[in-house]
Amino acid sequence: MGDGPVAVSRRKTVAQKLPETPETAEEEPIKQRKNGLYPGVSDELAENMKSGWADTELHGLEPVAQAEHTARRRAALSARFPGERLVIPAGNLKTRSNDTEYSFRSSVEYAYLTGNQTEDGVLVLEPTADGHRGTLYLLPRSDRENGEFWLSGQGELWVGRRHSLSEAATLYGIPTSDVRELADKLREATGPVRVVRGYDAGVEDALTDKVTAERDEELRVFLSEARLVKDEFEIGELQKAVDSTVRGFEDVVKVLDKAEATSERYIEGTFFLRARVEGNDIGYGSICAAGPHACTLHWVRNDGPVRSGDLLLLDAGVETHTLYTADVTRTLPINGTYDEIQKKIYDAVYESQEAGIAAVKPGAKYRDFHDAAQRVLAEKLVEWGLVEGPVERVLELGLQRRWTLHGTGHMLGMDVHDCAAARTETYVEGTLEPGMVLTVEPGLYFQADDLTVPEEYRGIGVRIEDDILVTEDGNRNLSAGLPRRSDEVEAWMASLKG
């Protein structure tokens, strides 16, 4: 990473304006790195950097693929909150350490409504007589006259070109404006205002005396519930995410010998490569849990050994460039073959998942798939003598949870746990509709130190997870490209290992 002439912390939000004129830039001393190698900028160099640059404006651009869908989503939002100003920020960069930042990921609400993923962006819907007028507030191209493009740590010579405001307007189908002017506009705003909180402190500060937590929460809840039913674009993106994830699982199986020679991190890195090549990123921290680590539900340290004879619980998902993520789990025998006790437990989880998937259909209660899967697991635990029946008693008291621990699934979309702010009555207590996408992921986990189970069970964890689309006549398993039945898993692994 190069040593720049100024501190890279000169990213500005609506609360902190960039210098707007050459005079301002000349009056303000350049902020140097404390230990930078250049003592300053000569007048001659500053003047030289202003000129000699080609015009790089892009012409002939087409709207992004989701533009027609984002327009429809904004129209639904407008209809829900007539006469109110609605403010939806993308968020800002967050410092990782000193002058380096985390990779930016736009707020889901902003990306869902715009298709844009640029830091510091803000969507504002201004009320009109017949709905709302949307404006996308963004940073324009870096200013070459005042030197921002090469002196600012977030200038284009440091972090890359950004779209001009006119380019962005074409791409996203929304009029654009300079985000540096937004703070003053928000402070002067009159009438009811709502903002999506938690992403941009500068925006919230400008609206501090105009909004209430209760009203803002209503906006957040609406946008969460709007994502419960996916449109055709979203379903296509989720299928892309799943298809890449399937290839990522295949990659892992092919290099299990290298993972045995190193650690779980080889598995993590292998899957990450597929995610970065075919998508934006991983959708969440990959769980690459070998041996007893499979009993830790969110094992993301991924620093343990990978041993022949153990199981590998791999829970991972590719995130597409439009931020839709897969969420798939397979529990694989590292040497390619389940032993007797591993197969017994795995087949019980498979049977449970089969019952859960069968319960996913339009008109069913959301809870039905969970209840169906849990019943099978409870029956197995009673059958194996691990808990005293009858099964109805086990389920009523939740006794199976010692070994099943978690719910059997969740909504899936732009967040791995999508629609989390939705009202309970429309989510967990709601009814399944065509277009909903959810995971079905039962599991059994026998901790290494659990003295209530036979020794041969201890340290075995199994989860099987698939991404299920509710259709008009039932469901479709988006992740059916990965085998689930134990004998099919073994045959698949053998074919990949050649």
Side-chain angles (χ1 to χ4, degrees):
M1 178 176 291
D3 178 46
V6 296
V8 297
S9 59
R10 292 188 65 187
R11 176 182 55 80
K12 311 302 180 192
T13 66
V14 294
Q16 187 180 17
K17 295 184 178 181
L18 289 160
E20 297 180 356
T21 67
E23 291 75 20
T24 304
E26 290 171 3
E27 292 170 3
E28 294 181 355
I30 297 170
K31 184 179 180 183
Q32 301 295 314
R33 278 184 197 268
K34 182 177 181 180
N35 291 300
L37 295 175
Y38 287 107
V41 176
S42 68
D43 292 342
E44 290 79 4
L45 175 59
E47 191 63 29
N48 177 274
M49 292 296 287
K50 292 179 183 181
S51 61
W53 305 100
D55 179 6
T56 60
E57 182 75 8
L58 302 177
H59 303 283
L61 295 174
E62 297 291 335
V64 295
Q66 65 266 49
E68 63 179 285
H69 302 287
T70 57
R72 186 172 62 250
R73 297 165 193 168
R74 293 193 300 275
L77 177 61
S78 173
R80 172 62 180 82
F81 298 104
E84 303 187 50
R85 181 177 280 101
L86 308 174
V87 183
I88 301 95
N92 314 131
L93 289 171
K94 291 182 171 58
T95 299
R96 179 180 185 272
S97 177
N98 190 20
D99 56 3
T100 63
E101 290 90 12
Y102 289 103
S103 296
F104 179 74
R105 188 184 190 277
S106 166
S107 77
V108 165
E109 293 87 351
Y110 176 86
Y112 178 74
L113 293 169
T114 67
N116 179 256
Q117 298 177 35
T118 306
E119 65 265 22
D120 301 336
V122 184
L123 171 67
V124 179
L125 298 184
E126 301 276 355
T128 63
D130 57 354
H132 285 81
R133 180 182 64 255
T135 302
L136 197 55
Y137 287 87
L138 301 166
L139 280 175
R141 296 288 307 279
S142 291
D143 192 330
R144 294 176 187 261
E145 187 63 27
N146 67 14
E148 176 223 332
F149 85 108
W150 72 285
L151 293 176
S152 168
Q154 292 300 320
E156 293 184 7
L157 286 193
W158 286 95
V159 298
R161 185 188 189 278
R162 53 184 179 246
H163 285 297
S164 69
L165 295 183
S166 61
E167 290 170 356
T170 299
L171 288 169
Y172 306 108
I174 311 170
T176 55
S177 191
D178 191 335
V179 72
R180 296 171 295 186
E181 302 168 357
L182 181 57
D184 290 341
K185 292 183 178 180
L186 293 179
R187 292 188 185 98
E188 296 167 1
T190 58
V193 184
R194 297 178 192 256
V195 63
V196 177
R197 298 192 181 202
Y199 297 116
D200 194 317
V203 166
E204 292 177 36
D205 180 66
L207 293 171
T208 185
D209 59 343
K210 304 177 191 301
V211 295
T212 68
E214 181 180 5
R215 288 164 52 79
D216 292 346
E217 181 63 13
E218 288 175 350
L219 172 59
R220 190 170 80 103
V221 168
F222 174 82
L223 290 173
S224 195
E225 293 182 1
R227 302 198 307 276
L228 284 169
V229 176
K230 271 63 179 177
D231 58 37
E232 65 269 24
F233 175 83
E234 295 179 287
I235 293 169
E237 289 300 293
L238 285 167
Q239 187 65 69
K240 286 181 189 176
V242 168
D243 292 345
S244 290
T245 298
V246 168
R247 290 187 283 273
F249 273 66
E250 293 172 347
D251 296 339
V252 167
V253 171
K254 292 175 182 177
V255 299
L256 281 177
D257 58 332
K258 294 182 174 62
E260 287 187 59
T262 51
S263 75
E264 295 162 339
R265 290 195 175 182
Y266 203 97
I267 295 167
E268 178 183 358
T270 298
F271 187 84
F272 180 70
L273 177 61
R274 177 67 65 173
R276 286 293 282 165
V277 168
E278 295 194 0
N280 176 59
D281 206 333
I282 50 175
Y284 52 95
S286 299
I287 298 168
C288 308
H293 288 163
C295 299
T296 302
L297 294 186
H298 288 167
W299 177 261
V300 292
R301 299 179 198 172
N302 299 334
D303 58 0
V306 178
R307 300 188 178 99
S308 179
D310 283 348
L311 297 178
L312 167 68
L313 190 157
L314 178 58
D315 184 337
V318 172
E319 177 186 80
T320 66
H321 294 291
T322 56
L323 306 186
Y324 289 85
T325 185
D327 182 8
V328 178
T329 306
R330 291 294 184 268
T331 305
L332 311 172
I334 292 168
N335 64 9
T337 305
Y338 298 100
D339 67 27
E340 183 178 356
I341 190 65
Q342 290 169 349
K343 187 176 186 302
K344 173 183 174 180
I345 295 169
Y346 184 95
D347 287 350
V349 174
Y350 172 78
E351 186 178 331
S352 168
Q353 195 201 27
E354 283 282 274
I357 292 174
V360 175
K361 54 191 174 184
K365 294 295 184 184
Y366 175 83
R367 286 183 176 275
D368 287 353
F369 79 96
H370 169 73
D371 293 341
Q374 290 294 300
R375 175 170 291 277
V376 172
L377 294 180
E379 290 171 350
K380 296 297 182 183
L381 293 168
V382 171
E383 176 187 327
W384 298 341
L386 301 185
V387 63
E388 182 181 348
V391 169
E392 294 298 339
R393 168 183 170 272
V394 173
L395 292 170
E396 180 181 355
L397 299 176
L399 301 180
Q400 82 283 2
R401 292 183 63 185
R402 179 181 179 105
W403 302 286
T404 65
L405 297 174
H406 55 81
T408 310
H410 51 80
M411 291 294 180
L412 184 68
M414 297 182 85
D415 280 326
V416 66
H417 293 164
D418 207 25
C419 314
R423 292 167 295 171
T424 301
E425 57 265 33
T426 61
Y427 189 156
V428 175
E429 302 297 342
T431 300
L432 294 179
E433 301 177 39
M436 290 182 170
V437 180
L438 60 148
T439 67
V440 179
E441 50 175 309
L444 283 173
Y445 313 91
F446 299 104
Q447 304 298 326
D449 58 352
D450 188 348
L451 302 181
T452 70
V453 300
E455 185 174 357
E456 62 266 26
Y457 286 59
R458 298 174 197 166
I460 294 178
V462 173
R463 180 164 66 252
I464 311 172
E465 178 181 19
D466 285 272
D467 302 341
I468 309 298
L469 167 67
V470 183
T471 62
E472 294 289 345
D473 57 356
N475 70 67
R476 175 159 60 93
N477 185 350
L478 301 179
S479 44
L482 281 177
R484 293 184 294 125
R485 209 173 65 203
S486 57
D487 60 332
E488 293 175 343
V489 169
E490 291 175 339
W492 168 71
M493 293 183 68
S495 70
L496 290 173
K497 290 183 176 182

